[in-house]
Amino acid sequence: MKICVIGAGYVGLVSGSCFADLGNFVWCVDKDKQKIDMLNNNQIPIFEPGLKDLINKNYSSGRLKFTTNLNLAVKNSDIIFICVGTPTSNKKGSADLRYVYKVVAELSLYINKFKIIVTKSTVPVTTGDKIEKIILKKKRKKLFEVVSNPEFLREGEAIRDFRFPDRIVIGANSKIATKKLKSLYDPLIKKGAIFFSTNRRGAELIKYASNAFLATKISFMNEISNLCEKTGVNVEDVSIGIGLDKRIGSRFLRVGPAYGGSCFPKDTKALTFTGTLFKTDLSIIKSVIKSNEKRRIFLTERVKKILSNKIKNKKITFLGVTFKPNTDDMRQSSSLLMIPYLHERGAKINYYDPSGEKKEFSRLKNVFFCNDINEACEKVDLVIIHTEWDEFKSLDFKKLYRKRKFKIYDMRNLYSPRDMKKQGFSYHSIGRQN
Ligand code: UDX
Ligand code: UDX
């Protein structure tokens, strides 16, 4: 099939290159000319494992093309996926849909025959209805169908999540569109993916409810870990013990510094805003948002305690600053709160992250990017393991220690308190007896 993907971001680039890899012809469009030029020069603007090879393979086969020309791409496609950003607007946390509506208004000019317009971006319930109204100003109803096909891609594992999804959700108010999308996804369905179709608003709500539930699971476990610390229980035992119940499931019960990323924080807020709009109090999700925000502050202040309330002039190293491993994405990462907080209180901060230096810290005069772990951990008072990149999972602390005995604050519980204590390290972690 001939496909147009609008928005060459984390979602659009992965979706576009994966659709091309399924044998379709894909135009990937973005308004950012610099980004398109990079892609046409074999450079990838984001850090996503496997994406470079996937793009190269399909670009050289001629199945994947990058352009800023929306007119050309829409006219030469049957299915148009909208993958532009839907960030949180400052107005009470609702989703900012201006990019979606702008793209829709423009693409409707170029509809020259029947098209299926698909929202893959996370959009609030009823957005499809509004998109339909915008297009109807320019085109007759029989020339298009608007469909919801939300993405469930995790950054760092997005290609695998596309290729082996638990389910493909299609929300359409027409059988033709559902049939067309089902044949597009046929190669994945043949490999076991479950195809689930509902109406358009149903699919829009499934996406938000999914992310909000996952965020709830994480926040629930994070709060239980606070109780574990007070009651002398190992939070990992609790997460295994409850996760063995098939009704709960063992995934997304890992404690950490607070969930971040471009989705959970944005989507939980947007869902509560939808609740308000439809006069429905989503009190559980509101408390998840509050609990997660409180956790960021609570765990940041723990640094003060670990350093016996003396932060000024202390040398602190962050191992990992991204919101999760295998991505360069800093959106809503807890390091964005922790590092400025410690910097304001006079700490000198090194950080090392495998995805490279971060512009977010460039204006902080006592925050330095280090090119490797040894350099970052030299003569410091405290090492904070913030993001669970693989290379932090088997550190040789004795070797890193050589110049000065530093304390360790393991925010991802990568090491065992017992072993660390046996080796004489001053080790702090989450939800366990340190
Ligand atoms: C984002 C959200 O993270 C995700 O939850 C939502 O489902 C889709 O939007 P992401 O790929 O991370 O996904 O967005 P982003 O990385 O911001 O990329 C959006 C791209 O769209 C950017 O490259 C931007 O230049 C492009 N864009 C935006 C257009 O091409 N045209 C526009 O009018 C606006
Ligand atoms: C999430 C959803 O998983 C995905 O389905 C949706 O399409 C987009 O949003 P993503 O945000 O990329 O994906 O990453 P994810 O792996 O879900 O992690 C999100 C945050 O939760 C990260 O900050 C991560 O550290 C945290 N997390 C995740 C935990 O703290 N504990 C866990 O057990 C899992």
Side-chain angles (χ1 to χ4, degrees):
M1 285 183 200
K2 288 187 277 180
I3 291 169
C4 164
V5 171
I6 309 172
Y10 288 92
V11 172
L13 267 184
V14 170
S15 306
S17 44
C18 287
F19 279 130
D21 211 44
L22 292 179
N24 301 290
F25 181 87
V26 179
W27 286 98
C28 200
V29 187
D30 201 295
K31 68 177 163 107
D32 181 340
K33 187 172 177 325
Q34 200 195 353
K35 192 174 277 192
I36 294 298
D37 291 345
M38 275 178 82
L39 287 159
N40 282 321
N41 291 314
N42 190 17
Q43 291 163 307
I44 311 299
I46 58 168
F47 183 111
E48 180 64 45
L51 186 59
K52 187 170 174 72
D53 295 346
L54 192 67
I55 288 179
N56 289 347
K57 171 186 160 198
N58 289 285
Y59 187 82
S60 36
S61 73
R63 279 197 302 269
L64 178 61
K65 289 192 177 311
F66 299 106
T67 179
T68 54
N69 185 337
L70 186 62
N71 184 346
L72 171 76
V74 168
K75 285 201 166 122
N76 288 288
S77 304
D78 306 311
I79 306 178
I80 296 147
F81 283 89
I82 298 172
C83 300
V84 296
T86 54
T88 304
S89 80
N90 38 34
K91 209 173 29 121
K92 294 196 231 44
S94 60
D96 179 353
L97 296 173
R98 81 182 102 140
Y99 303 117
V100 171
Y101 294 145
K102 190 165 85 45
V103 151
V104 166
E106 189 183 345
L107 75 86
S108 50
L109 301 169
Y110 310 135
I111 295 177
N112 53 352
K113 60 180 171 37
F114 180 71
K115 306 277 178 193
I116 297 177
I117 321 278
V118 187
T119 52
K120 190 160 266 301
S121 294
T122 307
V123 292
V125 191
T126 74
T127 303
D129 311 346
K130 294 181 183 115
I131 290 174
E132 213 163 67
K133 286 206 183 76
I134 294 170
I135 303 176
L136 277 172
K137 287 186 193 138
K138 301 267 182 1
K139 291 291 183 299
R140 295 191 315 285
K141 182 65 192 78
K142 69 182 181 52
L143 266 181
F144 68 96
E145 277 297 336
V146 178
V147 166
S148 165
N149 169 216
E151 47 87 12
F152 299 102
L153 308 177
R154 287 167 301 157
E155 286 183 24
E157 0 239 338
I159 294 171
R160 185 174 337 117
D161 285 349
F162 185 99
R163 285 177 167 162
F164 305 100
D166 290 341
R167 76 299 199 195
I168 295 157
V169 173
I170 298 293
N173 301 340
S174 101
K175 287 205 175 17
I176 309 168
T178 305
K179 212 159 147 281
K180 188 95 174 165
L181 268 290
K182 190 166 184 178
S183 58
L184 171 66
Y185 281 107
D186 193 48
L188 302 184
I189 297 166
K190 284 208 171 76
K191 281 196 288 184
I194 296 167
F195 185 85
F196 176 67
S197 72
T198 176
N199 65 13
R200 192 167 55 210
R201 289 189 182 189
E204 291 167 341
L205 187 51
I206 286 169
K207 170 66 188 176
Y208 276 100
S210 257
N211 272 3
F213 186 79
L214 291 168
T216 304
K217 254 189 122 170
I218 294 165
S219 295
F220 173 82
M221 214 56 226
N222 282 337
E223 284 198 352
I224 293 290
S225 77
N226 298 339
L227 187 59
C228 289
E229 291 175 358
K230 297 275 172 59
T231 52
V233 171
N234 180 336
V235 68
E236 256 101 54
D237 293 352
V238 177
S239 109
I240 293 167
I242 65 171
L244 286 169
D245 182 327
K246 291 216 173 8
R247 293 169 301 173
I248 296 173
S250 57
R251 297 181 64 188
F252 277 60
L253 291 173
R254 294 189 321 270
V255 292
Y259 61 73
S262 73
C263 298
F264 289 166
K266 148 178 90 72
D267 296 348
T268 43
K269 287 192 190 103
L271 187 53
T272 55
F273 187 78
T274 301
T276 313
L277 228 50
F278 288 86
K279 298 186 179 32
T280 310
D281 180 23
L282 299 174
S283 60
I284 294 173
I285 301 165
K286 283 178 188 162
S287 63
V288 166
I289 295 167
K290 222 162 66 229
S291 167
N292 197 60
E293 284 315 309
K294 260 172 37 191
R295 184 167 187 76
R296 288 179 200 276
I297 298 153
F298 171 64
L299 291 181
T300 302
E301 286 176 350
R302 180 169 288 183
V303 175
K304 224 163 44 178
K305 252 169 71 198
I306 294 171
L307 290 172
S308 7
N309 287 326
K310 292 191 204 71
I311 294 183
K312 196 164 173 37
N313 295 326
K314 290 286 182 190
K315 288 197 78 177
I316 301 171
T317 283
F318 277 74
L319 294 183
V321 287
T322 52
F323 84 93
K324 65 179 285 194
N326 302 314
T327 181
D328 59 351
D329 201 340
M330 287 293 288
R331 288 179 281 191
Q332 298 291 319
S333 174
S334 17
S335 63
L336 294 174
L337 178 115
M338 296 182 77
I339 290 181
Y341 174 94
L342 297 166
H343 182 256
E344 272 151 40
R345 285 155 182 76
K348 302 214 174 345
I349 297 162
N350 291 339
Y351 72 92
Y352 164 73
D353 190 290
S355 66
E357 192 162 5
K358 302 295 167 231
K359 62 182 180 330
E360 288 82 356
F361 304 126
S362 52
R363 275 201 296 277
L364 300 178
K365 67 178 180 19
N366 287 327
V367 177
F368 308 98
F369 174 68
C370 299
N371 282 302
D372 70 53
I373 298 173
N374 296 307
E375 183 196 336
C377 296
E378 207 158 312
K379 291 193 210 131
V380 296
D381 301 293
L382 171 65
V383 169
I384 298 177
I385 302 175
H386 174 272
T387 313
E388 67 279 27
W389 287 88
D390 284 345
E391 58 190 281
F392 303 149
K393 291 179 179 168
S394 44
L395 296 169
D396 177 351
F397 287 104
K398 282 221 174 347
K399 191 166 143 262
L400 290 171
Y401 241 21
R402 60 179 192 288
K403 292 268 169 57
R404 183 190 301 178
K405 275 198 160 195
F406 49 70
K407 296 183 177 201
I408 300 158
Y409 182 19
D410 178 2
M411 301 186 81
R412 299 291 183 165
N413 288 355
L414 299 184
Y415 296 90
S416 116
R418 195 169 337 104
D419 297 353
M420 298 302 270
K421 207 164 245 138
K422 250 195 292 184
Q423 298 176 59
F425 296 136
S426 162
Y427 174 80
H428 305 264
S429 61
I430 291 186
R432 308 185 301 182
Q433 304 325 301
N434 292 318

